[in-house]
Amino acid sequence: MCVSISCRLTLLYSTLVFLSREAFRRACLSGVSGTNHSWRQVINLLWLTLPLGVLWAALLACVWLWLLEVPDPHTVPYYSPAVVLFALSGVQELLAEPLWVLAQAHMFVRLKVVAESLAMIAKCSVTVVLVVFAGEWGLYIFSAAHLVYTGFLVLCYAVYFIRFLDSKEAAKESFPLCRVRDLLPCRADGEPLVDWTLARLTWSFFKQSFLKQILTEGERYVMTFLNVLSFGDQGVYDIINNLGSMVARFIFLPIEESFYIFFAKVLERGRDVKSQKQEDVAIAAEVLECLLKLVLVIGLIITSFGYAYSHLALDIYGGSLLSSGAGPNLLRCYSCYVLLLAVNGVTECFVFAAMSQGEVDKYNLVMLALSVSFLFLSYMLTWWAGAVGFIMANCLNMGLRIVHSLFYIHHYFKSSQWKPLRGLLPSPLLLLALGVSAVVTALSEGMFCCDSGWLLRMVHISVGAACLLIVFVAVLLTETRLVHFVRTQLLPQYTKKHT
C-alpha cells in the first residue's frame, strides 16, 4: 500500500515539473545555440516556469486530494499533507530552472552531477534519521526528504553561480551574464522583455509536453485513475519500473540531454541539409551514427543478459517478496523495453533539434494519436496480461515513435552522402556473441540459480561475467569507430573540468 501511494505522490511531482519546464528547456536550449538570441530575454522567459508551476501545483493538488481515491487515514496517515509537500517541492525545484539551463547550455556537466549527488545524499540522510527517530510520521518522512532534495538542488545551483559570476573565470570565458542580479528577471534597454520567436517555439513544445508526458508515464496514470491493478501489484510494478529504468536515467538520459544541445548548436532548425554548412552536417551525421551504435550496443547487452539475471537481481534486492511472484517476468520484459528506450532517446533528440516550429506543430498531431492509442492499449493489455500489459503497451508505443523518427532522419539525409542510420546495424560477430551469451546464461540460470545457495549463485554470476567479457572483446574487435568515438569524444566530454 505505502509503495503504491509513494508512486502516486511521485507521479504528482513528475507531472508538475515536466509540464512546467520541459517546453521551456527544449525551446531555450535550442534557441540559445544561435547568435541572435539574448540571454537576458532567455532568462526572463525561463522565469515564467515558476508562476506556471504554481498554477499546476494548485490544479494537480486538487485532483490528487479530491478526485482520486484517498487511502484510509488509519492505514496510510498524513496523505493530504504529503500531497501538499510534494507539490511544494516541485515548485521549489523550478526556482533553479534558469540556472539549470545556463549550466546545460555552457556544458557545466560536473555541476549537475555534484548537485544531484549532494541532493540525493541529503535526501537519504534525512530519510534514515527520520525513520530511526520518528518512524510514526509515515508519509511525512517521504515528503520531507523529497522537499530537502529539491531544496539542495536549488541551493547548489545558486551557490555555484553566485561564486562563478564573481570569479575571474567567468570574465575569462566571456560568460554572457556578469552579475548575480542578471539571474533575476528584468528588462534590458532597447529590447522586448522576452524573445517572441522563442516564446512561440516554447508554446509549440508546451502543447507537445502534455502528450509526451502521457506517453512517458501513461501507465502510471492508468494505474492511478482507473485502478486496473491492486495497490500491491502497483507497488511491485513501481519497484520493477524504478529498477529497470536506472540505466535509462543514469546513462541514456544524460546522453540525450547533452547531445540535444549539440545537435541544436550544429544544425540550423528547420533548414534542409543542402542549405547548411556541409562540415556541420557531416559532424552531426557522424555523431548521430556513433550515438545510435552506442545506445544500441548497450541496449542489446541489457536485453541479452536481462533474461537470465532478472530473478537473481530481484532476489538480492528484495528477497523472495519480489523474486517469487511476477517480478522476474516483469523485469525480463522491461530489459527488452530498455533497448527501445535507448534508440528512441537518441533519435528523438536529433529530430526535436532539427524540426522547424511548423514541423513540431505537425508532430503534435502524431503525438496526440499515439497518446490516445497508448492509453487504450495500456488499459486493454493490462486487463488481459496484468502488469506485463503496461510494458507491452510501452514497447508498442516506443516502437511507433522510433519508426516516425527513423523516417524523419532518413528523409533529412536523403539528398546527402551521409547515412547515419547505419549505426543501427551492429556487426555480425557482435550479434553472434550476444546470441550465444543469451543462450549460455539462460542455461546457467536453470542449472545454478537461484535456490541452491550462494556458491552456485556465484557460479552463475561468473558465467555471466565471462560472457560479458566475450561481448566486450567482440565490440573492441568489430566496432572500431564506436570505440574511437567513445575514447576521443564521449569520455573527454564527461571528464573535462567545467567547474
Side-chain angles (χ1 to χ4, degrees):
M1 169 72 81
C2 289
V3 175
S4 62
I5 296 302
S6 68
C7 171
R8 179 186 291 188
L9 294 173
T10 304
L11 180 62
L12 165 65
Y13 160 78
S14 63
T15 302
L16 192 161
V17 295
F18 189 91
L19 294 180
S20 300
R21 72 188 183 191
E22 179 67 12
F24 292 88
R25 286 184 173 186
R26 291 283 184 183
C28 292
L29 285 175
S30 60
V32 296
S33 62
T35 58
N36 57 336
H37 292 290
S38 164
W39 265 109
R40 173 73 277 142
Q41 294 176 317
V42 172
I43 294 295
N44 290 340
L45 184 63
L46 285 168
W47 276 108
L48 292 177
T49 58
L50 187 60
L52 182 61
V54 172
L55 291 176
W56 278 120
L59 177 62
L60 293 173
C62 292
V63 172
W64 258 246
L65 289 174
W66 296 324
L67 295 184
L68 295 180
E69 177 187 358
V70 177
D72 185 357
H74 298 290
T75 306
V76 184
Y78 312 122
Y79 172 76
S80 296
V83 168
V84 175
L85 288 175
F86 261 83
L88 181 60
S89 69
V91 174
Q92 180 175 250
E93 185 170 344
L94 294 175
L95 291 171
E97 194 58 23
L99 308 181
W100 186 93
V101 172
L102 270 174
Q104 286 293 105
H106 293 88
M107 298 302 293
F108 293 164
V109 178
R110 185 172 298 179
L111 169 60
K112 179 181 177 182
V113 173
V114 171
E116 293 184 357
S117 300
L118 291 177
M120 185 57 67
I121 292 172
K123 177 181 179 179
C124 294
S125 302
V126 170
T127 301
V128 170
V129 171
L130 292 180
V131 166
V132 172
F133 294 102
E136 69 278 3
W137 286 10
L139 286 179
Y140 269 130
I141 299 174
F142 187 49
S143 308
H146 198 76
L147 195 62
V148 169
Y149 172 80
T150 58
F152 257 80
L153 277 180
V154 175
L155 181 63
C156 288
Y157 277 97
V159 169
Y160 175 82
F161 276 102
I162 289 173
R163 296 186 61 185
F164 177 76
L165 291 177
D166 290 334
S167 67
K168 295 180 180 179
E169 186 181 355
K172 182 180 178 181
E173 296 181 0
S174 300
F175 198 72
L177 304 179
C178 303
R179 297 158 300 192
V180 174
R181 66 181 182 182
D182 290 338
L183 299 172
L184 301 175
C186 65
R187 182 189 294 273
D189 294 334
E191 64 181 22
L193 187 62
V194 298
D195 185 322
W196 292 107
T197 301
L198 276 185
R200 286 190 291 271
L201 184 59
T202 302
W203 173 243
S204 295
F205 279 122
F206 182 74
K207 291 181 289 185
Q208 186 186 100
S209 64
F210 287 93
L211 306 175
K212 188 175 181 181
Q213 178 66 3
I214 292 175
L215 293 176
T216 303
E217 301 205 70
E219 73 275 11
R220 294 177 184 263
Y221 293 115
V222 172
M223 281 193 297
T224 300
F225 288 91
L226 299 181
N227 295 321
V228 293
L229 296 178
S230 66
F231 278 124
D233 290 339
Q234 288 182 32
V236 172
Y237 178 84
D238 190 52
I239 293 173
I240 301 301
N241 183 68
N242 289 335
L243 285 175
S245 62
M246 286 179 65
V247 176
R249 293 198 304 271
F250 294 119
I251 298 180
F252 299 144
L253 183 59
I255 290 176
E256 179 184 348
E257 290 177 345
S258 298
F259 284 93
Y260 172 78
I261 302 171
F262 169 80
F263 290 130
K265 288 183 176 181
V266 171
L267 302 174
E268 296 183 49
R269 180 180 291 276
R271 299 183 65 180
D272 59 33
V273 170
K274 291 184 177 180
S275 60
Q276 302 195 49
K277 294 181 181 179
Q278 293 306 292
E279 57 269 27
D280 289 343
V281 176
I283 293 173
E286 182 179 357
V287 170
L288 177 58
E289 181 178 347
C290 291
L291 282 179
L292 287 173
K293 182 64 65 67
L294 175 64
V295 298
L296 181 70
V297 169
I298 296 174
L300 286 173
I301 291 174
I302 293 171
T303 301
S304 301
F305 288 84
Y307 180 86
Y309 290 91
S310 293
H311 188 282
L312 178 61
L314 289 179
D315 196 59
I316 294 174
Y317 180 77
S320 59
L321 180 66
L322 290 179
S323 63
S324 60
N329 285 333
L330 279 174
L331 192 56
R332 289 177 182 128
C333 294
Y334 207 99
S335 66
C336 299
Y337 175 52
V338 167
L339 174 60
L340 298 176
L341 270 178
V343 176
N344 180 72
V346 172
T347 54
E348 281 197 347
C349 96
F350 177 86
V351 169
F352 289 149
M355 277 181 170
S356 66
Q357 181 182 336
E359 288 172 326
V360 172
D361 289 332
K362 290 180 181 178
Y363 184 60
N364 289 341
L365 298 177
V366 177
M367 296 279 278
L368 177 61
L370 288 174
S371 300
V372 173
S373 62
F374 173 63
L375 292 176
F376 175 76
L377 283 173
S378 296
Y379 181 78
M380 296 303 296
L381 290 175
T382 305
W383 176 77
W384 173 62
V388 175
F390 281 131
I391 301 177
M392 294 169 63
N394 272 316
C395 288
L396 291 172
N397 156 56
M398 205 61 66
L400 291 174
R401 290 166 66 177
I402 291 172
V403 169
H404 175 273
S405 298
L406 294 182
F407 273 118
Y408 182 91
I409 294 171
H410 173 74
H411 178 75
Y412 189 85
F413 289 100
K414 182 173 60 176
S415 58
S416 72
Q417 59 180 312
W418 299 286
K419 308 296 178 185
L421 294 183
R422 289 180 300 187
L424 294 175
L425 299 175
S427 66
L429 180 61
L430 176 58
L431 288 177
L432 177 62
L434 288 167
V436 171
S437 298
V439 173
V440 171
T441 53
L443 293 175
S444 172
E445 182 187 32
M447 296 173 60
F448 304 120
C449 194
C450 290
D451 301 320
S452 302
W454 269 103
L455 180 60
L456 292 182
R457 289 186 180 190
M458 293 304 299
V459 173
H460 179 49
I461 294 173
S462 301
V463 170
C467 290
L468 187 59
L469 180 61
I470 293 173
V471 171
F472 283 151
V473 171
V475 172
L476 292 174
L477 293 176
T478 62
E479 304 293 351
T480 53
R481 287 187 63 193
L482 173 61
V483 174
H484 178 73
F485 171 76
V486 172
R487 291 177 58 187
T488 61
Q489 301 295 327
L490 198 63
L491 289 180
Q493 176 180 338
Y494 287 98
T495 57
K496 179 181 176 183
K497 182 177 180 181
H498 293 284
T499 59

